[in-house]
């Protein structure tokens, strides 16, 4: 996967798009983790 960057703008655009994809995945993962942590059933207290 050899990619040649001819200009600085091309390199920055490529880097920015990869960062946006990674941050989107991180956001989706965080939301899934948060729902996993907060979605547990609490024990019913019997006094």
């Amino acid at each position: 996967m050899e990619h040649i960057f001819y200009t600085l703008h091309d390199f920055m655009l490529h880097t920015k798009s990869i960062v946006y994809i990674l941050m989107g995945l991180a956001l989706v993962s965080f939301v899934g983790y948060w729902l996993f942590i907060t979605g547990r059933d609490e024990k019913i207290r019997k006094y």
Side-chain angles (χ1 to χ4, degrees), residues 4-41:
I4 299 173
F5 300 111
Y6 293 108
T7 62
L8 177 62
H9 185 265
D10 188 28
F11 173 72
M12 295 299 288
L13 185 63
H14 181 72
T15 305
K16 192 175 183 179
S17 64
I18 290 175
V19 169
Y20 277 130
I21 291 170
L22 291 175
M23 293 312 289
L25 290 174
L27 181 63
V28 169
S29 299
F30 178 74
V31 169
Y33 180 70
W34 182 262
L35 292 175
F36 172 73
I37 293 297
T38 60
R40 294 183 179 174
D41 293 331

